[in-house]
Amino acid sequence: LEWSVIQKQYMKKTKQYFQIRANTKMNILITYFCCIILSSIQQSHSASPSPSPSRSIISIPLYHKGIQHPDKEATSDIYPIDNAYAIFLWIGTPVQVLLVMVDIGSPISWSQCDPCNSCYPMQRPAFNTRASSTFRELGSYSDTCLIPMMREVFGNSTGWTCRYNVKYGSATSHEFHSFGLMVTDTLNLEHSNTQVKDFIIGCGDSYEGPFRAQFSGVLGLGRGPLSIQSQLKATAFSFCPVSQGSEKPSSLEFYDVPPEMDQNGSIMVALTENSGYPFHYFLQFVGIGVDGFMLDIQSRVWGYGLNYDGGVIIDIGTMLTYLPTDAYSVFRSEILRTDHNRAAASGYEGLEFCYKDDSSNVFPTIEFHFENGNIAGQNFVSYKLNHNQLLFTPEEGTVCLSFAEGKSSALTVIGSNQLQGTLLTFDLVNQILVLTFNEC
């Protein structure tokens, strides 16, 4: 999105917040009387109660370029921006609106805060801690700072404050860190009266590496007790990445009960953990197929075996899919063997296989094969890339295969370009990722 569009959305959402707060008292009264009526109806009903269906706690529409949508209960807006996805967070009392990037592997949410002498340059104001009456710093001996799973994040806490250190980009050549204090403040969810008091969030005051100026920080959807879904006590969440040029809305939803999945048009993939990357959701990966044949890549490359530092994850903060060197070399050889029917074009940073956008080009059929998350089903399931998922367009007239070599890591990272149009549902109870095709 253009910065002017983002700025208009920022002003609009700030006005929406105060309109919502002005109507809060009336909404409380209406809700109170509705509850009394519903209670009397339930007491008079003689039939046996039926099991409660899954319902979303929060529904967050994703859309592009400010397309309007009907108001829903507990909703917010997520935008595709700069090859990533971002959300407006309403934090503090009175509210301040922050634009943060969504990250599936981040253990916490954080935003840069003012005062700050060492923050990266941003296109919007940092969170003003002195302006919020509900802002509170967490101490190094607080329950939050002593969580055993978070030692990697809070291990450098000294003195009175609880400090965090979060690392990003470990699978690519651009590793970067955010440093700051852990704090609590009030989180408001737009288009509703939903409010989370004492929401635990990071307050960034320094950094290392190439953070994007469009974003104030990160919304953490990773594993762990301090991610947003954990603080909301959600048992599942789902989202459908729209393409960067799409104007069709989609939504991010959190569930109190994992939703039932339709087997038609979906595959279930087993999730697993890797102690080397405790906050990521790892996929049980089998291999890559090109034109119907599985590439000859040893299973250890995908993270199998003891003492491995690899594995396969999803990252919607990057567009490309990064393969470790051992896998990329085999993939590269196969593409070179079959690309004689395509008109070559100059490559771009990280993109080796680029071609003129010509209708005569014939591209390979590429599939990802995963272990089946449905125990009663087949041994493995396949995810076939369509034309848009296979190709990335760095500029008009040129298309590139959306694969690159992850030179600094043994991790395999599946990027958002190959996930666009697919509904991703993370079932945290059953440790399953459900991929539903053609949903956005």
Side-chain angles (χ1 to χ4, degrees), residues 145-178:
C145 207
L146 297 176
I147 296 174
M149 185 179 179
M150 304 299 291
R151 286 176 183 169
E152 177 183 334
V153 178
F154 302 145
N156 293 326
S157 295
T158 57
W160 296 104
T161 58
C162 180
R163 292 194 60 82
Y164 75 84
N165 174 0
V166 180
K167 179 175 67 175
Y168 299 97
S170 55
T172 68
S173 59
H174 303 294
E175 184 174 295
F176 42 109
H177 294 251
S178 173

PDB file of all heavy atoms in Angstrom, residues 145-178:
ATOM      1  N   CYS A 145       8.706 -12.773  33.304  1.00  0.00           N
ATOM      2  CA  CYS A 145      10.130 -12.809  32.975  1.00  0.00           C
ATOM      3  C   CYS A 145      10.795 -14.111  33.412  1.00  0.00           C
ATOM      4  O   CYS A 145      11.892 -14.430  32.944  1.00  0.00           O
ATOM      5  CB  CYS A 145      10.843 -11.624  33.630  1.00  0.00           C
ATOM      6  SG  CYS A 145      12.327 -11.086  32.752  1.00  0.00           S
ATOM      7  N   LEU A 146      10.140 -14.875  34.293  1.00  0.00           N
ATOM      8  CA  LEU A 146      10.708 -16.122  34.806  1.00  0.00           C
ATOM      9  C   LEU A 146      10.123 -17.362  34.134  1.00  0.00           C
ATOM     10  O   LEU A 146      10.391 -18.478  34.574  1.00  0.00           O
ATOM     11  CB  LEU A 146      10.507 -16.197  36.322  1.00  0.00           C
ATOM     12  CG  LEU A 146      11.208 -15.103  37.148  1.00  0.00           C
ATOM     13  CD1 LEU A 146      10.855 -15.236  38.624  1.00  0.00           C
ATOM     14  CD2 LEU A 146      12.722 -15.155  36.950  1.00  0.00           C
ATOM     15  N   ILE A 147       9.326 -17.195  33.079  1.00  0.00           N
ATOM     16  CA  ILE A 147       8.767 -18.347  32.365  1.00  0.00           C
ATOM     17  C   ILE A 147       9.915 -19.171  31.771  1.00  0.00           C
ATOM     18  O   ILE A 147      10.729 -18.641  31.002  1.00  0.00           O
ATOM     19  CB  ILE A 147       7.819 -17.891  31.249  1.00  0.00           C
ATOM     20  CG1 ILE A 147       6.606 -17.166  31.835  1.00  0.00           C
ATOM     21  CG2 ILE A 147       7.363 -19.077  30.402  1.00  0.00           C
ATOM     22  CD1 ILE A 147       5.685 -16.556  30.780  1.00  0.00           C
ATOM     23  N   PRO A 148      10.016 -20.456  32.114  1.00  0.00           N
ATOM     24  CA  PRO A 148      11.163 -21.260  31.643  1.00  0.00           C
ATOM     25  C   PRO A 148      11.319 -21.275  30.121  1.00  0.00           C
ATOM     26  O   PRO A 148      12.442 -21.180  29.611  1.00  0.00           O
ATOM     27  CB  PRO A 148      10.853 -22.658  32.190  1.00  0.00           C
ATOM     28  CG  PRO A 148      10.010 -22.404  33.399  1.00  0.00           C
ATOM     29  CD  PRO A 148       9.167 -21.208  33.056  1.00  0.00           C
ATOM     30  N   MET A 149      10.220 -21.391  29.384  1.00  0.00           N
ATOM     31  CA  MET A 149      10.306 -21.474  27.925  1.00  0.00           C
ATOM     32  C   MET A 149      10.853 -20.198  27.302  1.00  0.00           C
ATOM     33  O   MET A 149      11.365 -20.216  26.182  1.00  0.00           O
ATOM     34  CB  MET A 149       8.921 -21.783  27.337  1.00  0.00           C
ATOM     35  CG  MET A 149       8.911 -21.998  25.841  1.00  0.00           C
ATOM     36  SD  MET A 149       7.264 -22.397  25.221  1.00  0.00           S
ATOM     37  CE  MET A 149       7.622 -22.564  23.454  1.00  0.00           C
ATOM     38  N   MET A 150      10.775 -19.075  28.046  1.00  0.00           N
ATOM     39  CA  MET A 150      11.166 -17.782  27.493  1.00  0.00           C
ATOM     40  C   MET A 150      12.584 -17.363  27.878  1.00  0.00           C
ATOM     41  O   MET A 150      12.975 -16.223  27.667  1.00  0.00           O
ATOM     42  CB  MET A 150      10.166 -16.710  27.947  1.00  0.00           C
ATOM     43  CG  MET A 150       8.710 -17.007  27.589  1.00  0.00           C
ATOM     44  SD  MET A 150       8.437 -17.142  25.810  1.00  0.00           S
ATOM     45  CE  MET A 150       8.700 -15.445  25.313  1.00  0.00           C
ATOM     46  N   ARG A 151      13.359 -18.292  28.430  1.00  0.00           N
ATOM     47  CA  ARG A 151      14.723 -17.941  28.856  1.00  0.00           C
ATOM     48  C   ARG A 151      15.550 -17.435  27.682  1.00  0.00           C
ATOM     49  O   ARG A 151      16.388 -16.543  27.840  1.00  0.00           O
ATOM     50  CB  ARG A 151      15.395 -19.160  29.490  1.00  0.00           C
ATOM     51  CG  ARG A 151      14.884 -19.485  30.885  1.00  0.00           C
ATOM     52  CD  ARG A 151      15.507 -20.757  31.408  1.00  0.00           C
ATOM     53  NE  ARG A 151      14.960 -21.116  32.715  1.00  0.00           N
ATOM     54  CZ  ARG A 151      15.165 -22.291  33.314  1.00  0.00           C
ATOM     55  NH1 ARG A 151      15.920 -23.206  32.702  1.00  0.00           N
ATOM     56  NH2 ARG A 151      14.637 -22.548  34.491  1.00  0.00           N
ATOM     57  N   GLU A 152      15.337 -18.020  26.513  1.00  0.00           N
ATOM     58  CA  GLU A 152      16.096 -17.587  25.337  1.00  0.00           C
ATOM     59  C   GLU A 152      15.804 -16.132  24.993  1.00  0.00           C
ATOM     60  O   GLU A 152      16.657 -15.410  24.482  1.00  0.00           O
ATOM     61  CB  GLU A 152      15.730 -18.482  24.143  1.00  0.00           C
ATOM     62  CG  GLU A 152      16.403 -18.091  22.837  1.00  0.00           C
ATOM     63  CD  GLU A 152      15.949 -18.952  21.677  1.00  0.00           C
ATOM     64  OE1 GLU A 152      15.537 -20.110  21.911  1.00  0.00           O
ATOM     65  OE2 GLU A 152      16.008 -18.477  20.531  1.00  0.00           O
ATOM     66  N   VAL A 153      14.581 -15.690  25.285  1.00  0.00           N
ATOM     67  CA  VAL A 153      14.162 -14.325  24.965  1.00  0.00           C
ATOM     68  C   VAL A 153      14.522 -13.350  26.070  1.00  0.00           C
ATOM     69  O   VAL A 153      14.956 -12.226  25.813  1.00  0.00           O
ATOM     70  CB  VAL A 153      12.642 -14.293  24.693  1.00  0.00           C
ATOM     71  CG1 VAL A 153      12.173 -12.873  24.392  1.00  0.00           C
ATOM     72  CG2 VAL A 153      12.287 -15.224  23.533  1.00  0.00           C
ATOM     73  N   PHE A 154      14.359 -13.761  27.334  1.00  0.00           N
ATOM     74  CA  PHE A 154      14.553 -12.855  28.469  1.00  0.00           C
ATOM     75  C   PHE A 154      15.870 -13.093  29.209  1.00  0.00           C
ATOM     76  O   PHE A 154      16.076 -12.541  30.294  1.00  0.00           O
ATOM     77  CB  PHE A 154      13.414 -13.014  29.480  1.00  0.00           C
ATOM     78  CG  PHE A 154      12.040 -12.767  28.904  1.00  0.00           C
ATOM     79  CD1 PHE A 154      10.947 -13.499  29.346  1.00  0.00           C
ATOM     80  CD2 PHE A 154      11.847 -11.825  27.910  1.00  0.00           C
ATOM     81  CE1 PHE A 154       9.688 -13.268  28.823  1.00  0.00           C
ATOM     82  CE2 PHE A 154      10.589 -11.600  27.371  1.00  0.00           C
ATOM     83  CZ  PHE A 154       9.511 -12.324  27.830  1.00  0.00           C
ATOM     84  N   GLY A 155      16.755 -13.884  28.654  1.00  0.00           N
ATOM     85  CA  GLY A 155      17.959 -14.299  29.385  1.00  0.00           C
ATOM     86  C   GLY A 155      18.898 -13.178  29.766  1.00  0.00           C
ATOM     87  O   GLY A 155      19.719 -13.336  30.672  1.00  0.00           O
ATOM     88  N   ASN A 156      18.815 -12.031  29.113  1.00  0.00           N
ATOM     89  CA  ASN A 156      19.727 -10.918  29.408  1.00  0.00           C
ATOM     90  C   ASN A 156      19.128  -9.893  30.363  1.00  0.00           C
ATOM     91  O   ASN A 156      19.660  -8.789  30.493  1.00  0.00           O
ATOM     92  CB  ASN A 156      20.140 -10.218  28.112  1.00  0.00           C
ATOM     93  CG  ASN A 156      20.987 -11.117  27.238  1.00  0.00           C
ATOM     94  OD1 ASN A 156      21.759 -11.919  27.745  1.00  0.00           O
ATOM     95  ND2 ASN A 156      20.826 -10.987  25.929  1.00  0.00           N
ATOM     96  N   SER A 157      18.041 -10.248  31.024  1.00  0.00           N
ATOM     97  CA  SER A 157      17.405  -9.308  31.957  1.00  0.00           C
ATOM     98  C   SER A 157      18.285  -9.119  33.194  1.00  0.00           C
ATOM     99  O   SER A 157      18.691 -10.084  33.838  1.00  0.00           O
ATOM    100  CB  SER A 157      16.027  -9.824  32.380  1.00  0.00           C
ATOM    101  OG  SER A 157      15.152  -9.858  31.275  1.00  0.00           O
ATOM    102  N   THR A 158      18.583  -7.870  33.497  1.00  0.00           N
ATOM    103  CA  THR A 158      19.368  -7.537  34.679  1.00  0.00           C
ATOM    104  C   THR A 158      18.715  -6.359  35.388  1.00  0.00           C
ATOM    105  O   THR A 158      17.918  -5.623  34.800  1.00  0.00           O
ATOM    106  CB  THR A 158      20.815  -7.162  34.313  1.00  0.00           C
ATOM    107  OG1 THR A 158      20.792  -6.066  33.385  1.00  0.00           O
ATOM    108  CG2 THR A 158      21.549  -8.345  33.687  1.00  0.00           C
ATOM    109  N   GLY A 159      19.083  -6.178  36.625  1.00  0.00           N
ATOM    110  CA  GLY A 159      18.514  -5.060  37.372  1.00  0.00           C
ATOM    111  C   GLY A 159      17.029  -5.269  37.627  1.00  0.00           C
ATOM    112  O   GLY A 159      16.576  -6.371  37.940  1.00  0.00           O
ATOM    113  N   TRP A 160      16.249  -4.201  37.437  1.00  0.00           N
ATOM    114  CA  TRP A 160      14.839  -4.244  37.792  1.00  0.00           C
ATOM    115  C   TRP A 160      13.933  -4.564  36.609  1.00  0.00           C
ATOM    116  O   TRP A 160      12.778  -4.935  36.795  1.00  0.00           O
ATOM    117  CB  TRP A 160      14.419  -2.909  38.390  1.00  0.00           C
ATOM    118  CG  TRP A 160      15.114  -2.600  39.686  1.00  0.00           C
ATOM    119  CD1 TRP A 160      16.135  -1.736  39.887  1.00  0.00           C
ATOM    120  CD2 TRP A 160      14.823  -3.184  40.951  1.00  0.00           C
ATOM    121  NE1 TRP A 160      16.526  -1.735  41.194  1.00  0.00           N
ATOM    122  CE2 TRP A 160      15.725  -2.616  41.895  1.00  0.00           C
ATOM    123  CE3 TRP A 160      13.904  -4.135  41.398  1.00  0.00           C
ATOM    124  CZ2 TRP A 160      15.734  -2.977  43.225  1.00  0.00           C
ATOM    125  CZ3 TRP A 160      13.905  -4.486  42.739  1.00  0.00           C
ATOM    126  CH2 TRP A 160      14.810  -3.899  43.642  1.00  0.00           C
ATOM    127  N   THR A 161      14.400  -4.410  35.400  1.00  0.00           N
ATOM    128  CA  THR A 161      13.522  -4.526  34.236  1.00  0.00           C
ATOM    129  C   THR A 161      13.656  -5.880  33.557  1.00  0.00           C
ATOM    130  O   THR A 161      14.706  -6.529  33.615  1.00  0.00           O
ATOM    131  CB  THR A 161      13.834  -3.426  33.208  1.00  0.00           C
ATOM    132  OG1 THR A 161      15.200  -3.521  32.806  1.00  0.00           O
ATOM    133  CG2 THR A 161      13.569  -2.047  33.799  1.00  0.00           C
ATOM    134  N   CYS A 162      12.577  -6.287  32.893  1.00  0.00           N
ATOM    135  CA  CYS A 162      12.554  -7.523  32.112  1.00  0.00           C
ATOM    136  C   CYS A 162      12.818  -7.151  30.652  1.00  0.00           C
ATOM    137  O   CYS A 162      11.993  -6.496  30.011  1.00  0.00           O
ATOM    138  CB  CYS A 162      11.194  -8.211  32.243  1.00  0.00           C
ATOM    139  SG  CYS A 162      11.055  -9.767  31.322  1.00  0.00           S
ATOM    140  N   ARG A 163      13.976  -7.544  30.140  1.00  0.00           N
ATOM    141  CA  ARG A 163      14.356  -7.187  28.780  1.00  0.00           C
ATOM    142  C   ARG A 163      14.235  -8.384  27.842  1.00  0.00           C
ATOM    143  O   ARG A 163      14.485  -9.518  28.235  1.00  0.00           O
ATOM    144  CB  ARG A 163      15.789  -6.650  28.741  1.00  0.00           C
ATOM    145  CG  ARG A 163      15.940  -5.293  29.438  1.00  0.00           C
ATOM    146  CD  ARG A 163      17.266  -4.655  29.073  1.00  0.00           C
ATOM    147  NE  ARG A 163      17.421  -4.424  27.635  1.00  0.00           N
ATOM    148  CZ  ARG A 163      16.913  -3.384  26.986  1.00  0.00           C
ATOM    149  NH1 ARG A 163      16.196  -2.467  27.644  1.00  0.00           N
ATOM    150  NH2 ARG A 163      17.102  -3.244  25.686  1.00  0.00           N
ATOM    151  N   TYR A 164      13.862  -8.097  26.587  1.00  0.00           N
ATOM    152  CA  TYR A 164      13.740  -9.153  25.583  1.00  0.00           C
ATOM    153  C   TYR A 164      14.777  -8.958  24.484  1.00  0.00           C
ATOM    154  O   TYR A 164      15.276  -7.863  24.240  1.00  0.00           O
ATOM    155  CB  TYR A 164      12.327  -9.185  24.989  1.00  0.00           C
ATOM    156  CG  TYR A 164      12.031  -8.071  24.010  1.00  0.00           C
ATOM    157  CD1 TYR A 164      12.391  -8.180  22.663  1.00  0.00           C
ATOM    158  CD2 TYR A 164      11.370  -6.901  24.424  1.00  0.00           C
ATOM    159  CE1 TYR A 164      12.116  -7.155  21.762  1.00  0.00           C
ATOM    160  CE2 TYR A 164      11.098  -5.886  23.525  1.00  0.00           C
ATOM    161  CZ  TYR A 164      11.472  -6.017  22.202  1.00  0.00           C
ATOM    162  OH  TYR A 164      11.209  -5.010  21.301  1.00  0.00           O
ATOM    163  N   ASN A 165      15.081 -10.055  23.803  1.00  0.00           N
ATOM    164  CA  ASN A 165      15.945 -10.071  22.622  1.00  0.00           C
ATOM    165  C   ASN A 165      15.338 -11.097  21.674  1.00  0.00           C
ATOM    166  O   ASN A 165      15.403 -12.308  21.925  1.00  0.00           O
ATOM    167  CB  ASN A 165      17.379 -10.442  22.997  1.00  0.00           C
ATOM    168  CG  ASN A 165      18.279 -10.623  21.781  1.00  0.00           C
ATOM    169  OD1 ASN A 165      17.847 -10.479  20.640  1.00  0.00           O
ATOM    170  ND2 ASN A 165      19.535 -10.963  22.028  1.00  0.00           N
ATOM    171  N   VAL A 166      14.725 -10.642  20.586  1.00  0.00           N
ATOM    172  CA  VAL A 166      14.086 -11.533  19.630  1.00  0.00           C
ATOM    173  C   VAL A 166      14.836 -11.470  18.305  1.00  0.00           C
ATOM    174  O   VAL A 166      15.134 -10.384  17.799  1.00  0.00           O
ATOM    175  CB  VAL A 166      12.603 -11.153  19.409  1.00  0.00           C
ATOM    176  CG1 VAL A 166      11.953 -12.108  18.411  1.00  0.00           C
ATOM    177  CG2 VAL A 166      11.841 -11.202  20.722  1.00  0.00           C
ATOM    178  N   LYS A 167      15.113 -12.656  17.755  1.00  0.00           N
ATOM    179  CA  LYS A 167      15.868 -12.762  16.501  1.00  0.00           C
ATOM    180  C   LYS A 167      14.936 -13.148  15.364  1.00  0.00           C
ATOM    181  O   LYS A 167      14.056 -13.992  15.525  1.00  0.00           O
ATOM    182  CB  LYS A 167      16.979 -13.810  16.657  1.00  0.00           C
ATOM    183  CG  LYS A 167      17.815 -14.032  15.403  1.00  0.00           C
ATOM    184  CD  LYS A 167      18.966 -14.980  15.677  1.00  0.00           C
ATOM    185  CE  LYS A 167      18.480 -16.382  15.980  1.00  0.00           C
ATOM    186  NZ  LYS A 167      19.600 -17.343  16.124  1.00  0.00           N
ATOM    187  N   TYR A 168      15.150 -12.545  14.198  1.00  0.00           N
ATOM    188  CA  TYR A 168      14.367 -12.837  12.995  1.00  0.00           C
ATOM    189  C   TYR A 168      15.305 -13.095  11.818  1.00  0.00           C
ATOM    190  O   TYR A 168      16.481 -12.743  11.859  1.00  0.00           O
ATOM    191  CB  TYR A 168      13.442 -11.663  12.652  1.00  0.00           C
ATOM    192  CG  TYR A 168      12.444 -11.339  13.731  1.00  0.00           C
ATOM    193  CD1 TYR A 168      12.698 -10.315  14.649  1.00  0.00           C
ATOM    194  CD2 TYR A 168      11.268 -12.057  13.863  1.00  0.00           C
ATOM    195  CE1 TYR A 168      11.786 -10.017  15.649  1.00  0.00           C
ATOM    196  CE2 TYR A 168      10.355 -11.768  14.871  1.00  0.00           C
ATOM    197  CZ  TYR A 168      10.619 -10.751  15.760  1.00  0.00           C
ATOM    198  OH  TYR A 168       9.723 -10.466  16.757  1.00  0.00           O
ATOM    199  N   GLY A 169      14.742 -13.709  10.771  1.00  0.00           N
ATOM    200  CA  GLY A 169      15.486 -13.901   9.540  1.00  0.00           C
ATOM    201  C   GLY A 169      16.557 -14.956   9.617  1.00  0.00           C
ATOM    202  O   GLY A 169      17.526 -14.919   8.852  1.00  0.00           O
ATOM    203  N   SER A 170      16.415 -15.954  10.502  1.00  0.00           N
ATOM    204  CA  SER A 170      17.469 -16.950  10.683  1.00  0.00           C
ATOM    205  C   SER A 170      17.623 -17.870   9.480  1.00  0.00           C
ATOM    206  O   SER A 170      18.644 -18.543   9.335  1.00  0.00           O
ATOM    207  CB  SER A 170      17.182 -17.793  11.930  1.00  0.00           C
ATOM    208  OG  SER A 170      15.894 -18.384  11.862  1.00  0.00           O
ATOM    209  N   ALA A 171      16.611 -17.926   8.598  1.00  0.00           N
ATOM    210  CA  ALA A 171      16.688 -18.819   7.442  1.00  0.00           C
ATOM    211  C   ALA A 171      17.209 -18.121   6.198  1.00  0.00           C
ATOM    212  O   ALA A 171      17.428 -18.753   5.179  1.00  0.00           O
ATOM    213  CB  ALA A 171      15.310 -19.417   7.153  1.00  0.00           C
ATOM    214  N   THR A 172      17.405 -16.810   6.251  1.00  0.00           N
ATOM    215  CA  THR A 172      17.892 -16.065   5.095  1.00  0.00           C
ATOM    216  C   THR A 172      19.229 -15.427   5.436  1.00  0.00           C
ATOM    217  O   THR A 172      19.792 -15.634   6.520  1.00  0.00           O
ATOM    218  CB  THR A 172      16.882 -14.975   4.692  1.00  0.00           C
ATOM    219  OG1 THR A 172      16.835 -13.975   5.713  1.00  0.00           O
ATOM    220  CG2 THR A 172      15.487 -15.563   4.507  1.00  0.00           C
ATOM    221  N   SER A 173      19.736 -14.627   4.534  1.00  0.00           N
ATOM    222  CA  SER A 173      21.034 -13.993   4.759  1.00  0.00           C
ATOM    223  C   SER A 173      20.927 -12.705   5.560  1.00  0.00           C
ATOM    224  O   SER A 173      21.938 -12.071   5.843  1.00  0.00           O
ATOM    225  CB  SER A 173      21.700 -13.702   3.405  1.00  0.00           C
ATOM    226  OG  SER A 173      20.871 -12.860   2.618  1.00  0.00           O
ATOM    227  N   HIS A 174      19.713 -12.302   5.933  1.00  0.00           N
ATOM    228  CA  HIS A 174      19.519 -11.041   6.656  1.00  0.00           C
ATOM    229  C   HIS A 174      18.967 -11.334   8.050  1.00  0.00           C
ATOM    230  O   HIS A 174      17.767 -11.377   8.258  1.00  0.00           O
ATOM    231  CB  HIS A 174      18.562 -10.121   5.897  1.00  0.00           C
ATOM    232  CG  HIS A 174      19.002  -9.807   4.501  1.00  0.00           C
ATOM    233  ND1 HIS A 174      20.135  -9.076   4.220  1.00  0.00           N
ATOM    234  CD2 HIS A 174      18.470 -10.143   3.307  1.00  0.00           C
ATOM    235  CE1 HIS A 174      20.274  -8.956   2.919  1.00  0.00           C
ATOM    236  NE2 HIS A 174      19.285  -9.604   2.335  1.00  0.00           N
ATOM    237  N   GLU A 175      19.863 -11.564   9.002  1.00  0.00           N
ATOM    238  CA  GLU A 175      19.431 -11.802  10.376  1.00  0.00           C
ATOM    239  C   GLU A 175      19.356 -10.471  11.111  1.00  0.00           C
ATOM    240  O   GLU A 175      20.222  -9.620  10.961  1.00  0.00           O
ATOM    241  CB  GLU A 175      20.403 -12.741  11.076  1.00  0.00           C
ATOM    242  CG  GLU A 175      19.971 -13.119  12.478  1.00  0.00           C
ATOM    243  CD  GLU A 175      20.883 -14.166  13.102  1.00  0.00           C
ATOM    244  OE1 GLU A 175      20.911 -15.292  12.577  1.00  0.00           O
ATOM    245  OE2 GLU A 175      21.578 -13.837  14.084  1.00  0.00           O
ATOM    246  N   PHE A 176      18.302 -10.290  11.914  1.00  0.00           N
ATOM    247  CA  PHE A 176      18.165  -9.040  12.644  1.00  0.00           C
ATOM    248  C   PHE A 176      17.493  -9.277  13.982  1.00  0.00           C
ATOM    249  O   PHE A 176      16.834 -10.290  14.192  1.00  0.00           O
ATOM    250  CB  PHE A 176      17.414  -7.985  11.820  1.00  0.00           C
ATOM    251  CG  PHE A 176      16.209  -8.494  11.063  1.00  0.00           C
ATOM    252  CD1 PHE A 176      14.931  -8.163  11.453  1.00  0.00           C
ATOM    253  CD2 PHE A 176      16.364  -9.287   9.924  1.00  0.00           C
ATOM    254  CE1 PHE A 176      13.826  -8.611  10.752  1.00  0.00           C
ATOM    255  CE2 PHE A 176      15.258  -9.744   9.214  1.00  0.00           C
ATOM    256  CZ  PHE A 176      13.987  -9.405   9.637  1.00  0.00           C
ATOM    257  N   HIS A 177      17.691  -8.325  14.907  1.00  0.00           N
ATOM    258  CA  HIS A 177      17.224  -8.448  16.285  1.00  0.00           C
ATOM    259  C   HIS A 177      16.422  -7.212  16.685  1.00  0.00           C
ATOM    260  O   HIS A 177      16.703  -6.102  16.234  1.00  0.00           O
ATOM    261  CB  HIS A 177      18.407  -8.576  17.255  1.00  0.00           C
ATOM    262  CG  HIS A 177      19.205  -9.824  17.108  1.00  0.00           C
ATOM    263  ND1 HIS A 177      19.183 -10.832  18.051  1.00  0.00           N
ATOM    264  CD2 HIS A 177      20.058 -10.232  16.134  1.00  0.00           C
ATOM    265  CE1 HIS A 177      19.995 -11.800  17.659  1.00  0.00           C
ATOM    266  NE2 HIS A 177      20.534 -11.456  16.506  1.00  0.00           N
ATOM    267  N   SER A 178      15.468  -7.427  17.593  1.00  0.00           N
ATOM    268  CA  SER A 178      14.812  -6.333  18.305  1.00  0.00           C
ATOM    269  C   SER A 178      15.085  -6.504  19.789  1.00  0.00           C
ATOM    270  O   SER A 178      14.992  -7.613  20.324  1.00  0.00           O
ATOM    271  CB  SER A 178      13.304  -6.325  18.043  1.00  0.00           C
ATOM    272  OG  SER A 178      12.661  -5.357  18.872  1.00  0.00           O
TER     273      SER A 178
END
